[in-house]
Amino acid sequence: MRTISLFLVFLLASVLAFSKDPYRQVVARRGDGTQLLLRRYGLNPNTHLQAFLALNRANLSKGKDLIAGRKYRLPNASPRAIAGKPKPSAATAGRTASVRKTAPVPLASLFGSAYGRVAVRDQALRGAILYVSSGHGGPDPGAIGKYGGYSLAEDEYAYDVALRLARVLTEHGALVYMIIQDPNDGIRDQPVLLTDYDEVTYPQQPIPRSQLARLRQRINAVNKLHGQHRNTYQRFLGLHVDSRSESQNIDVFFYHNSASAAGQRLAERIHQTFTTRYKRSQPNRAYSGKVSSRNTLYVVRNSHPPAVFMELGNIQNLKDQRRFVIPDNRQAMANWICEGIIADYRARR
């Protein structure tokens, strides 16, 4: 009897050992593309993309896109394959290390402890300079939405998306300036972001109470930096959250200066990215966000670098609130804005 029991234990262990998936499984986030997912887990798309597609063919959409919330298998190399690779030369190893190394960046302290180390994945935005500015801040929390027993402040959610955007832009080699900064928030993954009043304007200016003084202060900071970087691609990105009737569900809107062809092109490319992404992630829902000129906006009218002003949604509306309180949705918006900027940067010549 004991012999039979031992045999059954051995058989069960063998089945488990052979049935265990040798590939790491990860869950796609809203807004993820295959290359972004691979890079997040330290895999080079140039090397691993085809293997990834082969492993996950059954779980991809018809257009070979990821589906948010679905698990995907990451390709890996077996110990035998690793042992069989030729040892890289010192020069090759040095080049690899320079691309893959993880090092602190000037924005590291703003990203927080969980996100403060940034791996530069590629140089898609090398040479680009982006000024990222979230709305309101300091003594003015902006629009307030009610979410259960909590209050949602515009400046906290616009700032979190702005931080995520700055981080992903940095991953693609851009030089990023955060115009509005909070010394201790960092990127937060909580649904409800508590309101504080300690934000400052770059580099370390207290934010005034007067709306006009606030706008003038931040655009002066941008224009001063713009003057220090000549003959290069520079863009200003303003992120806000709208406040309308609770019943009004809106999409992301993009505003530019009517006199700025470059600002209009950037707004249209980011808008196109959102339109495409919505078709893939929510095929049964039409995207109604628009691009239009709005010269009455102070920062759009007075920014020296071409500017795009974005309204990310209605903080009063329950459906739009999901866009803000779900951290993956905040990251998706940041990813999609970045994709539009990369498209614009590649087409600059």
Side-chain angles (χ1 to χ4, degrees):
M1 185 70 179
R2 183 178 179 183
T3 302
I4 295 174
S5 299
L6 289 173
F7 173 76
L8 290 174
V9 170
F10 174 77
L11 180 62
L12 178 61
S14 300
V15 170
L16 289 174
F18 282 103
S19 63
K20 184 178 179 181
D21 193 334
Y23 299 100
R24 180 182 180 186
Q25 294 192 21
V26 297
V27 178
R29 302 174 184 175
R30 188 182 298 274
D32 274 349
T34 52
Q35 296 193 20
L36 180 62
L37 183 74
L38 288 170
R39 290 191 182 104
R40 179 181 299 132
Y41 294 99
L43 298 175
N44 186 338
N46 293 331
T47 306
H48 296 95
L49 180 58
Q50 293 306 315
F52 177 86
L53 295 175
L55 283 170
N56 297 284
R57 188 173 290 110
N59 282 330
L60 298 170
S61 70
K62 291 182 179 179
K64 295 185 179 180
D65 293 313
L66 303 180
I67 299 172
R70 188 165 291 185
K71 288 185 178 180
Y72 293 93
R73 302 159 82 193
L74 295 178
N76 54 28
S78 67
R80 180 177 298 173
I82 293 172
K85 289 182 179 179
K87 185 176 181 180
S89 67
T92 304
R95 287 196 300 271
T96 303
S98 67
V99 173
R100 297 292 309 135
K101 68 180 180 181
T102 299
V105 296
L107 294 177
S109 61
L110 294 177
F111 295 147
S113 58
Y115 291 91
R117 296 186 67 83
V118 182
V120 179
R121 305 297 186 183
D122 57 47
Q123 298 296 330
L125 288 171
R126 182 180 181 182
I129 299 174
L130 288 311
Y131 306 101
V132 180
S133 178
S134 54
H136 304 274
D140 178 21
I144 302 294
K146 296 299 181 183
Y147 181 75
Y150 297 97
S151 294
L152 307 180
E154 172 184 358
D155 70 324
E156 302 297 337
Y157 287 91
Y159 182 68
D160 193 72
V161 176
L163 279 180
R164 293 170 185 272
L165 173 59
R167 191 174 189 276
V168 72
L169 290 170
T170 303
E171 288 181 333
H172 292 291
L175 173 59
V176 183
Y177 290 96
M178 283 291 294
I179 302 305
I180 300 303
Q181 304 180 353
D182 189 297
N184 50 33
D185 276 354
I187 294 173
R188 292 172 281 178
D189 288 327
Q190 296 83 10
V192 175
L193 304 181
L194 300 180
T195 307
D196 60 20
Y197 305 92
D198 57 349
E199 294 86 6
V200 296
T201 300
Y202 180 92
Q204 286 292 326
Q205 304 176 75
I207 298 177
R209 290 184 177 276
S210 162
Q211 180 187 23
L212 181 58
R214 286 198 306 271
L215 297 176
R216 184 181 293 121
Q217 180 189 65
R218 63 193 62 184
I219 210 64
N220 284 347
V222 170
N223 291 343
K224 183 177 180 180
L225 289 166
H226 177 264
Q228 298 171 9
H229 300 283
R230 296 292 185 181
N231 302 319
T232 188
Y233 179 99
Q234 301 185 59
R235 299 294 185 268
F236 172 83
L237 307 162
L239 277 63
H240 284 251
V241 176
D242 209 345
S243 178
R244 306 190 185 192
S245 166
E246 290 184 14
S247 62
Q248 193 168 1
N249 172 216
I250 65 173
D251 282 318
V252 182
F253 283 76
F254 306 90
Y255 302 105
H256 61 87
N257 189 326
S258 61
S260 173
Q264 181 177 350
R265 285 194 298 269
L266 176 59
E268 289 173 348
R269 287 190 172 108
I270 301 174
H271 173 264
Q272 182 57 52
T273 300
F274 271 70
T275 303
T276 302
R277 286 297 185 180
Y278 264 95
K279 284 182 180 178
R280 293 175 181 175
S281 61
Q282 300 184 44
N284 297 321
R285 177 189 181 281
Y287 178 75
S288 60
K290 303 293 183 184
V291 174
S292 58
S293 61
R294 194 169 174 183
N295 297 351
T296 55
L297 295 169
Y298 184 93
V299 296
V300 168
R301 187 174 68 252
N302 292 284
S303 172
H304 290 177
V308 176
F309 183 105
M310 290 167 261
E311 291 282 9
L312 303 178
N314 178 11
I315 203 165
Q316 306 285 354
N317 179 267
L318 182 60
K319 289 183 178 179
D320 282 10
Q321 285 176 347
R322 295 175 192 153
R323 197 179 303 162
F324 304 122
V325 299
I326 299 174
D328 280 355
N329 288 348
R330 300 198 293 267
Q331 186 63 52
M333 285 192 286
N335 293 347
W336 297 354
I337 294 168
C338 180
E339 285 185 39
I341 294 168
I342 291 174
D344 187 67
Y345 188 60
R346 286 174 174 165
R348 68 192 183 280
R349 293 174 184 170

Short mmCIF file of all heavy atoms in Angstrom, two decimals, residues 81-115:
data_model
loop_
_atom_site.label_atom_id
_atom_site.label_comp_id
_atom_site.label_asym_id
_atom_site.label_seq_id
_atom_site.Cartn_x
_atom_site.Cartn_y
_atom_site.Cartn_z
N ALA A 81 20.30 27.60 -24.13
CA ALA A 81 20.49 28.61 -25.17
C ALA A 81 21.42 29.70 -24.69
O ALA A 81 22.25 30.20 -25.44
CB ALA A 81 19.14 29.21 -25.56
N ILE A 82 21.28 30.10 -23.43
CA ILE A 82 22.16 31.13 -22.89
C ILE A 82 23.60 30.64 -22.89
O ILE A 82 24.53 31.36 -23.27
CB ILE A 82 21.74 31.52 -21.46
CG1 ILE A 82 20.36 32.21 -21.51
CG2 ILE A 82 22.75 32.43 -20.80
CD1 ILE A 82 19.76 32.46 -20.16
N ALA A 83 23.80 29.38 -22.48
CA ALA A 83 25.17 28.83 -22.43
C ALA A 83 25.77 28.75 -23.81
O ALA A 83 26.98 28.85 -23.98
CB ALA A 83 25.14 27.45 -21.78
N GLY A 84 24.93 28.58 -24.84
CA GLY A 84 25.44 28.43 -26.18
C GLY A 84 25.74 29.73 -26.88
O GLY A 84 26.27 29.73 -27.97
N LYS A 85 25.37 30.87 -26.27
CA LYS A 85 25.62 32.16 -26.90
C LYS A 85 27.09 32.53 -26.79
O LYS A 85 27.71 32.30 -25.77
CB LYS A 85 24.78 33.26 -26.24
CG LYS A 85 23.29 33.15 -26.54
CD LYS A 85 22.56 34.29 -25.88
CE LYS A 85 21.07 34.23 -26.16
NZ LYS A 85 20.35 35.32 -25.49
N PRO A 86 27.65 33.13 -27.84
CA PRO A 86 29.03 33.59 -27.73
C PRO A 86 29.13 34.72 -26.73
O PRO A 86 28.21 35.53 -26.61
CB PRO A 86 29.34 34.08 -29.16
CG PRO A 86 28.01 34.42 -29.75
CD PRO A 86 27.05 33.44 -29.14
N LYS A 87 30.22 34.76 -26.03
CA LYS A 87 30.44 35.81 -25.05
C LYS A 87 30.66 37.12 -25.77
O LYS A 87 31.47 37.20 -26.69
CB LYS A 87 31.67 35.48 -24.19
CG LYS A 87 31.89 36.48 -23.06
CD LYS A 87 33.06 36.05 -22.20
CE LYS A 87 33.28 37.03 -21.07
NZ LYS A 87 34.42 36.65 -20.20
N PRO A 88 29.90 38.20 -25.40
CA PRO A 88 30.07 39.46 -26.12
C PRO A 88 31.43 40.07 -25.85
O PRO A 88 32.02 39.88 -24.80
CB PRO A 88 28.95 40.35 -25.53
CG PRO A 88 28.67 39.77 -24.19
CD PRO A 88 28.91 38.30 -24.32
N SER A 89 31.92 40.80 -26.85
CA SER A 89 33.18 41.50 -26.66
C SER A 89 33.00 42.62 -25.66
O SER A 89 31.88 43.01 -25.34
CB SER A 89 33.64 42.08 -28.00
OG SER A 89 32.74 43.10 -28.41
N ALA A 90 34.10 43.17 -25.18
CA ALA A 90 34.02 44.26 -24.21
C ALA A 90 33.31 45.45 -24.80
O ALA A 90 32.51 46.12 -24.15
CB ALA A 90 35.44 44.65 -23.75
N ALA A 91 33.57 45.72 -26.10
CA ALA A 91 32.92 46.87 -26.75
C ALA A 91 31.42 46.66 -26.86
O ALA A 91 30.62 47.55 -26.57
CB ALA A 91 33.53 47.09 -28.14
N THR A 92 31.01 45.42 -27.26
CA THR A 92 29.59 45.11 -27.37
C THR A 92 28.91 45.17 -26.02
O THR A 92 27.81 45.69 -25.87
CB THR A 92 29.39 43.72 -28.00
OG1 THR A 92 30.06 43.69 -29.26
CG2 THR A 92 27.92 43.41 -28.17
N ALA A 93 29.56 44.61 -25.02
CA ALA A 93 28.99 44.62 -23.67
C ALA A 93 28.81 46.04 -23.18
O ALA A 93 27.81 46.38 -22.54
CB ALA A 93 29.90 43.85 -22.71
N GLY A 94 29.76 46.91 -23.50
CA GLY A 94 29.65 48.29 -23.08
C GLY A 94 28.48 48.99 -23.73
O GLY A 94 27.75 49.75 -23.09
N ARG A 95 28.26 48.71 -25.05
CA ARG A 95 27.14 49.33 -25.74
C ARG A 95 25.83 48.83 -25.18
O ARG A 95 24.89 49.59 -24.98
CB ARG A 95 27.21 49.03 -27.24
CG ARG A 95 28.31 49.79 -27.97
CD ARG A 95 28.06 49.75 -29.47
NE ARG A 95 28.04 48.41 -30.01
CZ ARG A 95 29.13 47.79 -30.45
NH1 ARG A 95 30.30 48.37 -30.40
NH2 ARG A 95 29.04 46.57 -30.95
N THR A 96 25.75 47.53 -24.89
CA THR A 96 24.54 46.97 -24.33
C THR A 96 24.23 47.59 -22.97
O THR A 96 23.11 47.96 -22.67
CB THR A 96 24.66 45.44 -24.20
OG1 THR A 96 24.95 44.90 -25.47
CG2 THR A 96 23.38 44.84 -23.64
N ALA A 97 25.27 47.71 -22.14
CA ALA A 97 25.06 48.27 -20.81
C ALA A 97 24.57 49.70 -20.89
O ALA A 97 23.72 50.14 -20.11
CB ALA A 97 26.36 48.20 -20.01
N SER A 98 25.08 50.46 -21.89
CA SER A 98 24.69 51.85 -21.98
C SER A 98 23.22 52.00 -22.36
O SER A 98 22.57 52.97 -21.99
CB SER A 98 25.56 52.58 -23.00
OG SER A 98 25.31 52.08 -24.31
N VAL A 99 22.68 51.02 -23.10
CA VAL A 99 21.28 51.08 -23.50
C VAL A 99 20.37 50.56 -22.39
O VAL A 99 19.33 51.11 -22.11
CB VAL A 99 21.07 50.28 -24.81
CG1 VAL A 99 19.59 50.19 -25.15
CG2 VAL A 99 21.85 50.92 -25.94
N ARG A 100 20.79 49.49 -21.72
CA ARG A 100 19.92 48.81 -20.78
C ARG A 100 20.06 49.27 -19.34
O ARG A 100 19.26 48.91 -18.50
CB ARG A 100 20.21 47.30 -20.82
CG ARG A 100 19.94 46.66 -22.13
CD ARG A 100 18.46 46.63 -22.48
NE ARG A 100 17.70 46.08 -21.40
CZ ARG A 100 16.58 46.61 -20.97
NH1 ARG A 100 16.10 47.71 -21.49
NH2 ARG A 100 15.93 46.05 -19.98
N LYS A 101 21.07 50.04 -19.04
CA LYS A 101 21.30 50.38 -17.63
C LYS A 101 20.14 51.20 -17.08
O LYS A 101 19.48 51.95 -17.78
CB LYS A 101 22.61 51.14 -17.47
CG LYS A 101 22.60 52.54 -18.07
CD LYS A 101 23.94 53.21 -17.86
CE LYS A 101 23.96 54.62 -18.45
NZ LYS A 101 25.26 55.27 -18.26
N THR A 102 19.90 51.03 -15.81
CA THR A 102 18.90 51.80 -15.11
C THR A 102 19.62 52.82 -14.25
O THR A 102 20.47 52.46 -13.44
CB THR A 102 18.03 50.90 -14.22
OG1 THR A 102 17.37 49.95 -15.06
CG2 THR A 102 16.99 51.70 -13.48
N ALA A 103 19.31 54.08 -14.44
CA ALA A 103 20.02 55.12 -13.71
C ALA A 103 19.04 56.20 -13.30
O ALA A 103 18.03 56.42 -13.97
CB ALA A 103 21.12 55.71 -14.59
N PRO A 104 19.32 56.88 -12.19
CA PRO A 104 18.45 57.98 -11.78
C PRO A 104 18.46 59.09 -12.84
O PRO A 104 19.44 59.29 -13.54
CB PRO A 104 19.10 58.47 -10.48
CG PRO A 104 19.97 57.35 -10.02
CD PRO A 104 20.42 56.64 -11.26
N VAL A 105 17.34 59.79 -12.96
CA VAL A 105 17.23 60.91 -13.88
C VAL A 105 16.85 62.14 -13.07
O VAL A 105 16.45 62.03 -11.92
CB VAL A 105 16.16 60.63 -14.96
CG1 VAL A 105 16.58 59.46 -15.83
CG2 VAL A 105 14.81 60.36 -14.32
N PRO A 106 16.97 63.34 -13.63
CA PRO A 106 16.64 64.53 -12.85
C PRO A 106 15.24 64.53 -12.26
O PRO A 106 14.99 65.16 -11.23
CB PRO A 106 16.80 65.65 -13.89
CG PRO A 106 17.82 65.14 -14.84
CD PRO A 106 17.56 63.67 -14.94
N LEU A 107 14.30 63.85 -12.90
CA LEU A 107 12.93 63.83 -12.40
C LEU A 107 12.70 62.74 -11.35
O LEU A 107 11.59 62.62 -10.83
CB LEU A 107 11.95 63.59 -13.56
CG LEU A 107 11.85 64.68 -14.62
CD1 LEU A 107 10.91 64.25 -15.72
CD2 LEU A 107 11.40 65.99 -14.01
N ALA A 108 13.73 61.97 -11.04
CA ALA A 108 13.56 60.78 -10.19
C ALA A 108 12.86 61.10 -8.88
O ALA A 108 11.99 60.35 -8.43
CB ALA A 108 14.91 60.12 -9.93
N SER A 109 13.25 62.19 -8.24
CA SER A 109 12.67 62.50 -6.94
C SER A 109 11.19 62.82 -7.03
O SER A 109 10.43 62.62 -6.08
CB SER A 109 13.41 63.68 -6.30
OG SER A 109 13.30 64.83 -7.11
N LEU A 110 10.73 63.30 -8.19
CA LEU A 110 9.31 63.60 -8.37
C LEU A 110 8.50 62.34 -8.63
O LEU A 110 7.32 62.27 -8.30
CB LEU A 110 9.12 64.58 -9.53
CG LEU A 110 9.67 65.98 -9.33
CD1 LEU A 110 9.46 66.81 -10.60
CD2 LEU A 110 9.03 66.67 -8.14
N PHE A 111 9.10 61.33 -9.26
CA PHE A 111 8.37 60.11 -9.58
C PHE A 111 8.07 59.27 -8.35
O PHE A 111 7.18 58.42 -8.38
CB PHE A 111 9.15 59.26 -10.59
CG PHE A 111 9.31 59.92 -11.93
CD1 PHE A 111 10.44 59.69 -12.70
CD2 PHE A 111 8.33 60.76 -12.45
CE1 PHE A 111 10.60 60.29 -13.94
CE2 PHE A 111 8.49 61.37 -13.68
CZ PHE A 111 9.63 61.13 -14.43
N GLY A 112 8.81 59.45 -7.26
CA GLY A 112 8.57 58.68 -6.04
C GLY A 112 9.42 57.43 -5.97
O GLY A 112 10.01 57.00 -6.96
N SER A 113 9.43 56.82 -4.80
CA SER A 113 10.32 55.67 -4.56
C SER A 113 9.99 54.48 -5.44
O SER A 113 10.87 53.74 -5.86
CB SER A 113 10.25 55.27 -3.08
OG SER A 113 8.92 54.95 -2.71
N ALA A 114 8.71 54.26 -5.74
CA ALA A 114 8.32 53.08 -6.52
C ALA A 114 8.65 53.23 -8.00
O ALA A 114 8.78 52.24 -8.72
CB ALA A 114 6.83 52.79 -6.34
N TYR A 115 8.78 54.46 -8.47
CA TYR A 115 8.97 54.71 -9.91
C TYR A 115 10.20 55.56 -10.20
O TYR A 115 10.41 55.98 -11.33
CB TYR A 115 7.74 55.43 -10.48
CG TYR A 115 6.50 54.57 -10.54
CD1 TYR A 115 5.60 54.54 -9.46
CD2 TYR A 115 6.20 53.81 -11.65
CE1 TYR A 115 4.44 53.77 -9.51
CE2 TYR A 115 5.06 53.03 -11.71
CZ TYR A 115 4.18 53.01 -10.64
OH TYR A 115 3.06 52.25 -10.69
#
